[in-house]
Amino acid sequence: MKKDRLTKIKELVENSIDAGATKIEISVSNECRNLRIADNGCGIHPDDILLAFSKHATSKIETDEDLFNIATLGFRGEALSSIISIAKVTCTTRPKEFDYGTKVECENSNVKQAKTGCAVGTIMNVENLFYNIPARLKFLKSSKTEFAYIQELMQNLALINPNIAFDVKNDGKVMQSVAWNKGNNLEIEKNYLELALNNVGRAATGKAVRPILNGTKIEVNNHGLFLTASDSRISIVTKIPLEDSNGNTIITMFEPGIAVINARSITDVVRKLSGTKIEIETIEENILKIRDEVSDFSLNCMDANEYPLIDLNISGIEFNLETKQFINCVDYSSYAASEKNAKPVYEGVNICSNDNKLVFSATDGVRIAIKTLECSNIAPFSVTIPSKLIEDVARIAEGDSNVTITICEKKVSFKFKNTLVIVGIINGSYPNVLKVIPQTFESSLIVNASKLVESLDRTSILSSDRNNIVRFSLSNNSFKVHSRSQEVGSVSDVINNFTYEGNNLEISFTARYVIEILKLFGNEEVKFMFNENLKPVVIKSISSEEALGLILPTKTY
């Protein structure tokens, strides 16, 4: 009984191959007990359809001489008659010379026939396999194992049938496409392809251990063009639809197919092309041509069969955000993450939910950034995502209106209109940064953020050290920013418009840290809150409590 369900699919797919199909779609569901094989082959003549379900009958031999020159993969009746004895089968078929199709329903070996409307080809629906043999079900392998066998079978069939495109679906999701046929081509609007390649290219950095993961998988089917890239940290799938929301054509597609191309190469080629439309064509088994009106590139393909299957099924705590909110949360937090730290959690952005609040935070041990949103009906959670990856997600989000975020134990998914991003999380306990924020202060400064950035830029030019130190001299009627370099000299910059309350204060900072926070607030008024000159300083907008930054002062001369 080894690979029971696989043998049924094999027999049905071989029938489709014998029918001259150029596209075969294999769908499984209900733990591989429901099978659907659809092809665009020659179909079955209405006069032959009932005989096709009889034992020892065949529509694959037309004359006696054919018995001595068999070029088919089996007798149709041998497969179908055995399948209808253990499952409920519906066959819909139409030869191209007929303007109507035939539908046959089989249950308990009883066969009913009727006319129906359908496309040229054949669709075999097999439902509830082994429903009438419950003892047989106990000895079947798991659906996961059987589906792996099915994928292996399709890969093998694709290798020996290069002119046939195979699509494999599991519970409605395309899990495998194993053909981009010689001569397949499509025409696509350049701006859509370039944007999609830039997005998925964030997951194909050229540093993957497996060479195939340095490539972008390009797959086209009746729903559009799908680009996939992945490494051990992040996976991105983006879809280019056949038409835009206004019904304007984006892709002119001729045949479905799949190819894997070096990500950097294809992105650079598409970027450099000058035309508004791009044509993509396979001219040989491993060559993809990309051209416009002026240029013509030939790129080597990787073996698409080596590209790993990516698990896109993420379930867990799910919530929605406006993309503008999401991007702001990332921008107001990720800058404070450490670039390299002995504790990996300090290299990430922590997202947590508690008390109807969604908090994005990051810290490198010297500074803290926090962005808070009021969000109700979100279950408590806490995950830490590498800062570089969540920044990539934020850039992909630009142009979309909403993002659906799903949190699970080891991954987080971000779903946009036409793009899905899955990132791995950083293991480890994240510090409770909210407890570090002081609640009382001895003095405060209100100043325009952009004006202070201009002053810090001026006072920083004397030093080539990116971590150069600046000193604030504060009193109720004076605010000066100082910097000096032993090799170059010193500078003192006066800030005229400010409000300071408290005792006179001399306090120093790393200029870059202050500038990175202030630039986020643009032209807003910001408030610095101080205690002693070596105690943490909190910076926030005077118009909102949602975002704040904390910086540790620096000992100075």
Side-chain angles (χ1 to χ4, degrees):
M1 298 183 190
K2 184 180 180 181
K3 307 181 184 179
D4 274 290
R5 287 162 283 193
L6 178 69
T7 60
K8 307 309 174 189
I9 287 183
K10 179 176 182 293
E11 291 167 346
L12 294 174
V13 171
E14 287 177 346
N15 284 341
S16 296
I17 294 172
D18 287 339
T22 59
K23 176 174 174 57
I24 303 173
E25 182 181 284
I26 302 94
S27 301
V28 300
S29 59
N30 189 25
E31 297 184 341
C32 291
R33 293 186 62 198
N34 292 350
L35 316 175
R36 182 181 184 272
I37 313 298
D39 67 57
N40 63 351
C42 65
I44 306 174
H45 194 283
D47 295 340
D48 294 336
I49 186 65
L50 292 180
L51 287 173
F53 290 89
S54 303
K55 289 184 178 181
H56 314 302
T58 183
S59 60
K60 300 182 180 181
I61 294 178
E62 297 181 359
T63 66
D64 293 342
E65 287 75 16
D66 289 342
L67 290 170
F68 303 97
N69 187 27
I70 296 176
T72 60
L73 297 172
F75 290 87
R76 193 188 302 272
E78 286 298 295
L80 297 182
S81 65
S82 64
I83 293 174
I84 64 174
S85 67
I86 56 172
K88 301 174 183 179
V89 178
T90 301
C91 173
T92 306
T93 185
R94 176 190 155 197
K96 64 180 180 180
E97 62 267 23
F98 285 80
D99 57 4
Y100 65 89
T102 304
K103 183 177 182 180
V104 174
E105 295 178 322
C106 307
E107 185 174 354
N108 293 322
S109 297
N110 296 319
V111 182
K112 297 179 182 180
Q113 179 179 348
K115 289 184 179 180
T116 188
C118 64
V120 174
T122 302
I123 301 174
M124 286 286 182
N125 274 309
V126 180
E127 297 182 359
N128 211 5
L129 199 60
F130 303 119
Y131 77 101
N132 54 357
I133 314 177
R136 186 81 171 267
L137 295 174
K138 296 181 180 180
F139 298 94
L140 294 178
K141 292 184 178 295
S142 69
S143 58
K144 184 176 181 180
T145 300
E146 291 281 354
F147 188 71
Y149 290 151
I150 292 168
Q151 290 180 298
E152 181 181 3
L153 170 66
M154 292 306 107
Q155 289 179 347
N156 293 335
L157 289 175
L159 289 174
I160 60 176
N161 295 280
N163 295 321
I164 302 177
F166 294 88
D167 279 351
V168 183
K169 296 182 179 180
N170 191 0
D171 288 328
K173 296 184 178 181
V174 178
M175 305 298 291
Q176 188 177 31
S177 287
V178 283
W180 185 302
N181 302 329
K182 179 178 178 180
N184 281 6
N185 54 47
L186 63 88
E187 187 177 76
I188 185 170
E189 296 289 330
K190 176 191 172 181
N191 57 328
Y192 284 91
L193 181 58
E194 183 176 2
L195 176 61
L197 286 170
N198 287 337
N199 283 341
V200 299
R202 300 176 188 275
T205 60
K207 301 176 182 179
V209 176
R210 296 179 63 183
I212 191 70
L213 293 180
N214 292 323
T216 295
K217 184 171 76 169
I218 307 171
E219 181 179 357
V220 62
N221 58 38
N222 293 329
H223 301 290
L225 188 145
F226 295 81
L227 302 176
T228 303
S230 178
D231 63 13
S232 59
R233 307 169 306 147
I234 181 171
S235 299
I236 303 174
V237 180
T238 190
K239 172 189 174 183
I240 304 175
L242 301 179
E243 297 179 345
D244 64 17
S245 57
N246 297 319
N248 299 314
T249 300
I250 300 173
I251 300 172
T252 303
M253 184 186 68
F254 297 94
E255 289 290 341
I258 182 171
V260 179
I261 304 293
N262 180 273
R264 181 173 180 179
S265 297
I266 191 170
T267 302
D268 289 345
V269 166
V270 171
R271 184 184 299 118
K272 295 295 183 182
L273 291 175
S274 59
T276 58
K277 294 181 182 292
I278 294 174
E279 184 176 346
I280 301 175
E281 179 184 10
T282 51
I283 58 172
E284 294 181 18
E285 183 179 351
N286 60 345
I287 300 294
L288 194 73
K289 289 185 75 70
I290 302 177
R291 54 177 173 257
D292 62 6
E293 299 90 342
V294 178
S295 305
D296 191 332
F297 288 85
S298 295
L299 300 181
N300 295 327
C301 298
M302 301 179 183
D303 186 353
N305 292 320
E306 291 185 6
Y307 202 90
L309 291 175
I310 299 171
D311 184 8
L312 303 179
N313 297 317
I314 301 295
S315 61
I317 299 171
E318 184 175 292
F319 57 94
N320 296 310
L321 291 178
E322 295 180 6
T323 52
K324 183 178 180 180
Q325 290 180 315
F326 171 69
I327 292 170
N328 283 340
C329 287
V330 174
D331 288 344
Y332 277 90
S333 57
S334 63
Y335 72 87
S338 176
E339 295 181 3
K340 191 174 183 180
N341 197 291
K343 295 183 178 180
V345 291
Y346 286 95
E347 299 175 16
V349 172
N350 180 262
I351 309 175
C352 68
S353 170
N354 203 3
D355 296 330
N356 293 324
K357 291 184 178 180
L358 191 64
V359 180
F360 287 64
S361 60
T363 180
D364 58 4
V366 177
R367 51 189 175 163
I368 296 172
I370 298 174
K371 176 73 172 179
T372 304
L373 292 178
E374 297 292 334
C375 290
S376 59
N377 301 321
I378 301 178
F381 70 87
S382 177
V383 293
T384 305
I385 302 171
S387 61
K388 299 300 181 185
L389 298 188
I390 200 168
E391 287 172 356
D392 283 341
V393 177
R395 302 292 79 80
I396 292 173
E398 295 173 356
D400 274 86
S401 57
N402 291 282
V403 55
T404 299
I405 302 175
T406 304
I407 310 292
C408 72
E409 184 179 357
K410 295 182 179 180
K411 296 179 181 179
V412 179
S413 75
F414 301 86
K415 186 177 181 180
F416 305 98
K417 181 179 179 181
N418 288 315
T419 301
L420 175 66
V421 184
I422 299 175
V423 299
I425 66 174
I426 300 174
N427 294 323
S429 179
Y430 199 81
N432 188 345
V433 294
L434 294 175
K435 288 186 175 181
V436 181
I437 307 300
Q439 300 302 310
T440 59
F441 302 93
E442 298 176 356
S443 56
S444 64
L445 166 70
I446 297 175
V447 66
N448 181 273
S450 62
K451 295 298 183 182
L452 184 52
V453 168
E454 292 175 4
S455 176
L456 292 169
D457 281 337
R458 286 191 295 269
T459 55
S460 300
I461 62 176
L462 294 186
S463 175
S464 59
D465 183 0
R466 65 193 298 263
N467 293 320
N468 62 310
I469 306 301
V470 294
R471 177 166 52 90
F472 289 3
S473 295
L474 291 161
S475 67
N476 292 331
N477 54 16
S478 175
F479 177 18
K480 294 182 180 180
V481 180
H482 309 279
S483 181
R484 75 177 184 181
S485 167
Q486 292 183 349
E487 297 82 8
V488 182
S490 63
V491 59
S492 180
D493 206 67
V494 177
I495 306 295
N496 292 315
N497 297 316
F498 71 96
T499 301
Y500 178 73
E501 295 180 356
N503 297 326
N504 293 353
L505 181 66
E506 299 282 332
I507 191 168
S508 299
F509 304 98
T510 299
R512 177 172 66 91
Y513 290 170
V514 182
I515 291 172
E516 286 178 347
I517 297 176
L518 294 178
K519 282 185 175 180
L520 295 172
F521 293 103
N523 201 38
E524 291 184 49
E525 299 287 305
V526 295
K527 186 175 185 179
F528 286 72
M529 292 173 285
F530 310 94
N531 285 306
E532 299 175 10
N533 61 1
L534 291 180
K535 293 292 182 68
V537 176
V538 173
I539 306 171
K540 64 180 181 180
S541 169
I542 63 171
S543 61
S544 173
E545 297 289 329
E546 290 185 348
L548 64 84
L550 178 147
I551 305 178
L552 290 178
T554 303
K555 289 184 179 181
T556 187
Y557 47 84

